[in-house]
Each structure stands twice: as structure tokens, then as C-alpha cells.
Amino acid sequence: MKRKILLFGAFILTLMMMTGCTVKKDAITSDEFISQAEGSGLKCDDVTSDYSDNSKIKKATLAEHEAGWSVYFFALDSQQSAKSLFGKNKKRLEAEAQGGNATFIDTSSYESYRVKVKNEYYYICYIGDTFLSIHVDKKHESEVQAFCDKIGY
């Protein structure tokens, strides 16, 4: 009986791996981000003018928590632009974080990359035409991740 249960479990696991069982994520709008961030106690500022040299960025928002951590949220002109911005940032982080503890997720609906280096925690994610970027002290990792989970990033 135990053998049948183990075989069935192995079959299900193999099936999930072969079908690419992943979670689909949907992008939120800048207004939804601001609403969720403010609802979580973060102060939001429009920082789009700081990125005026990049015409692909339609809106940039900085959300700051009183505990000292912040999140950047970007709405771009296309999914390709968001993916490109993600790729450039991931490449930069990989170079900076050699030897760091990194996790990379690549699915059909989003990509995310997180890395811990010394006392720093980095998290970037793109979903649809949006890009989220976080660089905080590692002591804020659980707070930041809880916020990202809440907004679906």
C-alpha cells in the first residue's frame, strides 16, 4: 500500500513538473499600487520626472515605509519594455551579488529575482508592463515580502 501511495505521489509530482505548473500573476495599475501601498501605511510619491530620460517609463512611484524601507513601482509602455528593464537590473544585481543567495523565477506571466548579499536584500519583478524594484536592509526582508505578497508581486 505504501508503495502505491509513493508511486502515485511521484506520478503527480512528475506531471506537475512536466506541465509547468506555475502560478499566473496579473499586473496591477499604478493607481492600484498606490492604493494598496497607502493602505499598508506607505507614503507614495510620483517620481516619474526622475526618469524623464527614459520614454518607456510612463509612471514611476516611490512608496516609503516609516520603518525605513521603500519600493519603486514602474508602469512602462509595454511588456517588452518591462522585461528589458528587468533583464538589465537582474544582470546588474548578478554582477554585484556574486556569491549571494539568489532565487530566480521565470514563467510565462512574470519573472522575479531576489538575492541576499551581506546585510542587503534585493527583489525585482516584472509582471505585464510593470516593474517593481526593492533594495533594503536585510532586517526588513519579511516586511517587504509580506507587502509584495499582498499586492501579488
Side-chain angles (χ1 to χ4, degrees), residues 5 12 30 44 50 60-62 66 80 92 99-100 105 107 116 118-119 125:
I5 291 172
I12 295 297
S30 292
C44 293
D50 295 349
T61 303
L62 171 62
E66 64 185 19
Q80 186 57 40
R92 180 185 53 81
I105 298 173
T107 74
K116 301 172 199 174
K118 298 180 184 170
N119 290 325
C125 179

Side-chain angles (χ1 to χ4, degrees), residues 5 15 24 27 33 37 39 44 52 55-56 59 69 85-86 96 106 115 120 128 132 143 147 150:
I5 291 172
L15 186 62
K24 182 177 183 328
F33 173 80
C44 293
S52 59
S55 64
K56 296 181 184 302
K59 185 165 184 178
W69 55 270
L85 185 58
F86 174 87
E96 286 180 22
D106 181 3
V115 65
E120 298 178 341
L132 181 119
E143 294 171 75
F147 173 72
K150 179 180 177 181

Side-chain angles (χ1 to χ4, degrees), residues 129-148:
D129 62 353
T130 64
F131 174 73
L132 181 119
S133 178
I134 300 168
H135 171 201
V136 297
D137 189 287
K138 219 162 45 171
K139 69 182 178 184
H140 298 298
E141 177 186 351
S142 60
E143 294 171 75
V144 167
Q145 199 53 55
F147 173 72
C148 290

Side-chain angles (χ1 to χ4, degrees), residues 6-153:
L6 286 175
L7 286 174
F8 181 72
F11 171 75
I12 295 297
L13 182 60
T14 302
L15 186 62
M16 288 173 63
M17 288 172 41
M18 289 175 56
T19 59
C21 185
T22 60
V23 175
K24 182 177 183 328
K25 294 190 176 200
D26 295 314
I28 59 175
T29 66
S30 292
D31 289 340
E32 289 170 325
F33 173 80
I34 292 167
S35 176
Q36 297 238 11
E38 289 177 343
S40 296
L42 284 82
K43 180 183 174 289
C44 293
D45 290 309
D46 184 335
V47 293
T48 308
S49 62
D50 295 349
Y51 301 92
S52 59
D53 59 331
N54 187 337
S55 64
K56 296 181 184 302
I57 296 174
K58 298 302 176 193
K59 185 165 184 178
T61 303
L62 171 62
E64 297 177 292
H65 193 276
E66 64 185 19
W69 55 270
S70 58
V71 178
Y72 282 90
F73 184 85
F74 299 89
L76 292 107
D77 65 350
S78 69
Q79 180 173 345
Q80 186 57 40
S81 294
K83 186 171 186 164
S84 176
L85 185 58
F86 174 87
K88 289 175 186 173
N89 279 271
K90 180 178 175 276
K91 187 174 183 177
R92 180 185 53 81
L93 287 176
E94 287 172 333
E96 286 180 22
Q98 291 180 356
N101 182 13
T103 304
F104 175 55
I105 298 173
D106 181 3
T107 74
S108 61
S109 65
Y110 75 99
E111 289 181 52
S112 69
Y113 180 78
R114 74 184 73 225
V115 65
K116 301 172 199 174
V117 181
K118 298 180 184 170
N119 290 325
E120 298 178 341
Y121 173 73
Y122 300 88
Y123 179 71
I124 56 174
C125 179
Y126 95 85
I127 303 174
D129 62 353
T130 64
F131 174 73
L132 181 119
S133 178
I134 300 168
H135 171 201
V136 297
D137 189 287
K138 219 162 45 171
K139 69 182 178 184
H140 298 298
E141 177 186 351
S142 60
E143 294 171 75
V144 167
Q145 199 53 55
F147 173 72
C148 290
D149 290 344
K150 179 180 177 181
I151 66 169
Y153 278 69

